[in-house]
Amino acid sequence: MMKIGILGFQGAVVEHQQHVEKLGHESVVVRYSQQLDDLNGIILPGGESTTMGKLLCSTGMMEPLKNKIQAGLPVWGTCAGMILLAKELVNDPVRHLGVMDIAVKRNAYGTQIDSFDVDVKIPEVSSSVIPLVFIRAPYITKTGEKVSVLCQVDGHVVAAREEHMLVTSFHPELTDCSAFHQYLPVCAKNKFFADLGRMPGILVLGQFFYGEGGSPDFFHNNAGSNIGGFHCRCHIITCCQTKAECCNHCIPCSTDVENLFRMSRDVNRRNV
């Protein structure tokens, strides 16, 4: 079970909670920086981005939250949450968290009366059609080289991911579909594999791990024992060090990440 935080200043907080808990995870309404310490991910819901930004500052949460996200905390911003995460806002000098390499146009689809919904298939998120609800929605006008576009509507980017950071112009929490709530842990997994693949002495083939000169599926520490890195049929590393669990939505816990990073350094030293 994961602990997913939901920024509790504005927006459909209760609806996000219902989706998170339906998937068997714990939801936490986050209003103080101390609540960020033991989260597995956080959702920044819709609302009014200027107000939410001011509240992040007045509560002292802006810098701690930014630091957590930059350190790898999985985050998903919906609508106003997308604006909070963007490094650039079109025709607006204001920056909030500014951690995701996207430019966003606020209220791009118009006012409240211009709200609409559409059904779209987004293969990376779900094999089924997903209902998308747009309410005074922004969209993305520019993406950095590390940003993956997940969905476009009428030629405009409305969903994107940059490693562990996910944004949507629309509001999945206002539908019965939990596909995006299931997808958030996948973003964390992608961040983990990307970081590991950049480390000296480690070659990542698909989602199996090989130490240079070593064997697949696990690492050997200096004592020769097998620690972590076991794989299941869906090839997702879990926080269990003795077995693999086949689960499409599991991510490494911090302890396992530390073990894997330490072992990668061991492998590198042995191959020097």
Side-chain angles (χ1 to χ4, degrees):
M1 181 175 70
M2 299 175 62
K3 180 181 284 189
I4 303 297
I6 302 162
L7 189 64
F9 296 151
Q10 279 188 330
V13 176
V14 172
E15 288 81 358
H16 275 298
Q17 282 187 287
Q18 291 171 345
H19 279 280
V20 168
E21 292 170 4
K22 183 174 73 174
L23 294 172
H25 303 304
E26 179 184 354
S27 67
V28 179
V29 178
V30 177
R31 296 191 179 96
Y32 307 99
S33 58
Q34 297 90 332
Q35 295 175 284
L36 298 171
D37 291 339
D38 57 349
L39 298 179
N40 299 114
I42 187 166
I43 298 170
L44 311 182
E48 207 290 311
S49 58
T50 301
T51 300
M52 294 171 73
K54 289 179 179 179
L55 288 170
L56 282 171
C57 290
S58 65
T59 58
M61 283 186 61
M62 184 71 82
E63 286 305 311
L65 178 56
K66 181 176 181 177
N67 292 338
K68 287 285 187 181
I69 294 170
Q70 290 177 325
L73 177 68
V75 60
W76 170 24
T78 65
C79 198
M82 170 192 281
I83 296 169
L84 292 177
L85 292 171
K87 284 187 176 180
E88 181 181 346
L89 301 180
V90 176
N91 299 323
D92 190 339
V94 174
R95 301 294 179 272
H96 300 289
L97 293 165
V99 291
M100 188 167 176
D101 195 7
I102 55 175
V104 173
K105 183 177 181 180
R106 300 178 60 193
N107 300 324
Y109 285 103
T111 63
Q112 194 85 10
I113 62 172
D114 299 304
S115 301
F116 67 99
D117 61 270
V118 62
D119 293 338
V120 176
K121 194 166 185 179
I122 307 175
E124 185 166 337
V125 178
S126 174
S127 59
S128 302
V129 171
I130 300 174
L132 313 182
V133 176
F134 294 82
I135 303 173
R136 292 181 59 200
Y139 57 63
I140 297 171
T141 61
K142 184 171 62 176
T143 60
E145 61 179 18
K146 294 183 180 180
V147 177
S148 299
V149 173
L150 301 180
C151 179
Q152 297 186 55
V153 172
D154 296 332
H156 301 301
V157 178
V158 296
R161 176 181 58 79
E162 183 180 359
E163 294 184 338
H164 61 297
M165 296 178 286
L166 172 67
V167 290
T168 58
S169 299
F170 44 88
H171 293 266
E173 75 279 7
L174 300 182
T175 74
D176 293 329
C177 178
S178 297
F180 270 92
H181 292 82
Q182 290 176 312
Y183 185 70
L184 179 59
V186 177
C187 297
K189 175 174 69 70
N190 289 338
K191 163 70 173 173
F192 172 68
F193 287 123
D195 284 348
L196 193 63
R198 287 191 288 264
M199 298 185 67
I202 293 297
L203 175 65
V204 180
L205 299 179
Q207 291 177 353
F208 291 94
F209 295 91
Y210 291 75
E212 289 180 356
S215 57
D217 307 340
F218 54 83
F219 292 109
H220 295 281
N221 67 4
N222 287 330
S225 61
N226 302 338
I227 303 180
F230 288 89
H231 72 277
C232 58
R233 284 178 297 174
C234 58
H235 317 315
I236 294 177
I237 302 305
T238 74
C239 61
C240 177
Q241 295 185 14
T242 59
K243 67 178 181 178
E245 297 176 357
C246 197
C247 169
N248 285 318
H249 311 297
C250 54
I251 63 171
C253 70
S254 58
T255 301
D256 200 46
V257 172
E258 291 170 0
N259 284 338
L260 293 173
F261 275 40
R262 184 181 67 251
M263 285 179 284
S264 70
R265 291 193 294 268
D266 292 342
V267 169
N268 192 46
R269 283 197 293 268
R270 291 200 300 275
N271 283 280
V272 171

